[in-house]
Amino acid sequence: MVTGTGKAHLARADRLQKATGALATAAMAAMDDELPWFGQLSAQDRSWIGLVAQSGITAFVDWFRDPEAHSSMPTRMFGSAPREFTRVISLHQTVELLRTTIEMIENTIGDLLPEDDVPVVREAMQRYAREVAFAAATVYAQAAEMRGAWDARLEALVVDSVIRGEADESVRSRASALGWTGTANSEVAVVVGRAPSSDTGGTNVADAVRHVARESGADALCAMQGDRLVVVLGGTSKPVETVQRLTDFFGPGPIVVGPVVPDLMAAVTSARAAVAGLRAAPAWPAAPRPVQADELLPERSLSGDGHARRQLASDVYGPLTLGDGVLLDTVSTYLDSGGSIEATARALFIHPNTVRYRLKRVGDLTGYSPASPRDAFTLRVALTLGRLLNPDPGSSIL
């Protein structure tokens, strides 16, 4: 049985329902007058917003009539909007729409309803507006979460294409959609290290890597691939300096930086060297962190990396075979003599200063100084590989 108070409330709700058409028309007019960006939207977008406004006003009337029976109305009112609604206007603009509509209703109901109805409706509108604001925030949060999940999958696909050497114009387009600003001539380097522990959260790590790289003036694409973390850096000719700021986001163990290549299309060369370097890095426990893949050439060659073998043979052994081959004989004898200049001079029947001069020439030609233990090891491996790959010094390196 409906009491007198209940009948009065239902009558008030009926009067409010009759005014919904006028309220919706006034809401659209208020948006057009008070929000400059609203008039710049397309007719279709404005019609969708009008539909949401009409739905919201109708939902408010139903909720006002029976709040318990229509408690989900504030959330359901956005169901009439297409999925693209959140891409058309921002959350800030949505709040402006809600504020404009609520202010319009509060200023208009005095002309549409009896004086006794106005305070009750205004109080109800304030309660309802709070629920609508929470509903709007939920809609945008869900949309952002979906976009974040999609972006993460797209980013993983781009990084996988780079690793597998399948980068083409479509990969560049996808990278651009993810915020990659590198031009066709933007230098790129691939970085590979162990993935952080599972409790760190892969998505948060990727966001942090991109943020720090951006602060360093570089682009970054990041993806987890099993137990390794792969970062593609762009727009930087000194990737090691950038990676030094990213080391905390990797798991324990080596971090290998591939060589710099001209653009994203050539990034497979950098990726291949970085992956091979990560596999070979345990053979050099004292390696810096991060370490460049080219610093691991001897370890990479010993672990089966054919590219590293050919690089050592052509870039280190090859130059030493030019001319009369005295540099090759000198450095070979120096290494066999345990790094002794005097022993080398006696073995070659030359003055020690001549040995020093020739060793300096070796360093200038190859970039490796025989006097450095680490460089001497690289030279030893390069000479061994050069002789295996090119038994005849007069022929070209395979």
Side-chain angles (χ1 to χ4, degrees):
M1 180 178 180
V2 181
T3 63
T5 303
K7 289 182 179 179
H9 180 77
L10 292 177
R12 187 178 291 117
D14 290 338
R15 290 191 291 271
L16 181 60
Q17 186 166 8
K18 292 178 181 179
T20 54
L23 291 174
T25 302
M28 292 297 292
M31 294 175 194
D32 211 11
D33 293 340
E34 300 179 21
L35 303 176
W37 55 265
F38 183 76
Q40 300 175 2
L41 298 175
S42 66
Q44 181 180 13
D45 293 334
R46 288 198 303 273
S47 68
W48 278 116
I49 292 175
L51 181 61
V52 173
Q54 174 71 47
S55 174
I57 293 173
T58 301
F60 168 64
V61 174
D62 293 337
W63 177 86
F64 179 79
R65 186 184 302 276
D66 190 348
E68 293 184 2
H70 300 88
S71 59
S72 62
M73 277 297 181
T75 303
R76 292 168 55 192
M77 64 170 288
F78 288 97
S80 58
R83 180 174 299 178
E84 291 77 11
F85 182 81
T86 55
R87 296 183 181 271
V88 173
I89 61 175
S90 65
L91 177 58
H92 174 72
Q93 291 172 328
T94 302
V95 172
E96 287 185 332
L97 288 175
L98 292 173
R99 182 183 296 113
T100 301
T101 302
I102 292 168
E103 290 177 351
M104 178 279 305
I105 293 176
E106 291 179 341
N107 295 332
T108 305
I109 57 175
D111 299 330
L112 301 176
L113 299 176
E115 185 176 351
D116 293 342
D117 292 351
V118 174
V120 178
V121 174
R122 281 180 177 171
E123 181 182 356
M125 172 56 71
Q126 291 175 358
R127 291 171 52 199
Y128 186 77
R130 181 185 64 184
E131 299 300 326
V132 171
F134 283 128
T138 300
V139 169
Y140 278 85
Q142 291 173 344
E145 185 176 356
M146 291 178 61
R147 284 197 299 272
W150 168 251
D151 287 349
R153 290 193 293 270
L154 182 60
E155 187 171 14
L157 178 63
V158 171
V159 173
D160 183 63
S161 297
V162 169
I163 292 293
R164 291 189 290 115
E166 298 179 358
D168 53 18
E169 288 300 325
S170 64
V171 170
R172 180 180 292 168
S173 176
R174 291 167 181 164
S176 178
L178 292 167
W180 180 273
T181 59
T183 62
N185 297 319
S186 178
E187 293 178 313
V188 174
V190 177
V191 184
V192 182
R194 297 304 175 193
S197 57
S198 57
D199 56 355
T200 305
T203 302
N204 294 333
V205 167
D207 291 341
V209 167
R210 285 191 292 270
H211 176 72
V212 174
R214 195 177 303 113
E215 287 184 339
S216 303
D219 290 325
L221 297 173
C222 182
M224 297 286 187
Q225 293 189 336
D227 62 347
R228 69 188 183 192
L229 173 62
V230 181
V231 179
V232 181
L233 290 176
T236 175
S237 60
K238 299 179 179 179
V240 174
E241 295 182 3
T242 302
V243 177
Q244 286 173 345
R245 302 183 60 185
L246 302 175
T247 55
D248 291 341
F249 304 116
F250 288 85
I255 302 173
V256 183
V257 182
V260 175
V261 294
D263 55 29
L264 195 61
M265 302 300 100
V268 61
T269 301
S270 182
R272 183 172 55 226
V275 171
L278 183 65
R279 183 175 60 248
W284 185 18
R289 188 177 189 264
V291 59
Q292 297 185 59
D294 284 352
E295 295 182 79
L296 290 162
L297 283 175
E299 288 80 11
R300 287 168 51 194
S301 65
L302 292 173
S303 68
D305 183 0
H307 296 280
R309 291 177 178 176
R310 286 187 289 273
Q311 186 173 341
L312 283 175
S314 61
D315 296 351
V316 180
Y317 178 78
L320 298 179
T321 63
L322 300 178
D324 54 8
V326 295
L327 294 182
L328 179 62
D329 292 340
T330 301
V331 70
S332 178
T333 303
Y334 176 79
L335 295 174
D336 291 341
S337 301
S340 171
I341 291 179
E342 288 73 15
T344 303
R346 289 194 300 270
L348 296 176
F349 303 101
I350 57 177
H351 194 277
N353 286 341
T354 303
V355 175
R356 293 186 180 93
Y357 171 76
R358 290 179 181 178
L359 294 180
K360 184 178 182 301
R361 287 280 299 142
V362 170
D364 293 339
L365 279 174
T366 65
Y368 296 98
S369 171
S372 166
R374 174 68 190 175
D375 288 358
F377 171 64
T378 303
L379 287 168
R380 171 72 75 181
V381 175
L383 265 58
T384 302
L385 291 171
R387 290 161 180 155
L388 288 173
L389 297 176
N390 187 32
D392 180 7
S395 63
S396 60
I397 300 295
L398 295 178

